Amino acid sequence: MTLTELQYIVAVAQERHFGRAAERVFVTQPALSLAIKKLEDELGTTIFERRQNRIELTPLGEQIVHQAQRVLEEAEHIKI
């Protein structure tokens, strides 16, 4: 698990769209999707329910994204 992967899941959670999230974090949509799938496999859970025309967080995904946001905020404090 990397900070970059955490940034990706937070972006998808906020955008609710893989394409827009990919643009926001400056990667291609396939690269973003692959990284998120890798993280889901590593964690052994599904973070996002991928439905036609919409993305929803699973209940556990909501907890993971919330924790990811906290980790990213704490990582920002290290830079200061």
Side-chain angles (χ1 to χ4, degrees):
M1 177 181 326
T2 67
L3 291 176
T4 300
E5 291 168 340
L6 298 180
Q7 289 171 333
Y8 290 176
I9 64 170
V10 169
V12 172
Q14 291 173 343
E15 296 291 336
R16 301 289 189 188
H17 190 274
F18 278 82
R20 287 191 302 268
E23 288 177 7
R24 181 171 150 185
V25 295
F26 308 106
V27 297
T28 65
Q29 186 272 324
L32 178 87
S33 294
L34 185 65
I36 289 174
K37 179 66 176 140
K38 177 183 165 275
L39 181 58
E40 288 177 326
D41 290 346
E42 181 181 334
L43 297 175
T45 192
T46 302
I47 299 170
F48 299 102
E49 290 287 335
R50 296 148 176 92
R51 303 190 189 273
Q52 189 176 14
N53 296 330
R54 72 175 198 250
I55 305 293
E56 294 180 11
L57 285 160
T58 64
L60 186 54
E62 286 186 35
Q63 294 175 20
I64 292 168
V65 168
H66 178 71
Q67 184 66 34
Q69 289 170 319
R70 290 177 44 202
V71 168
L72 293 170
E73 288 169 8
E74 289 299 321
E76 279 298 312
H77 291 297
I78 294 171
K79 294 179 183 177
I80 297 173

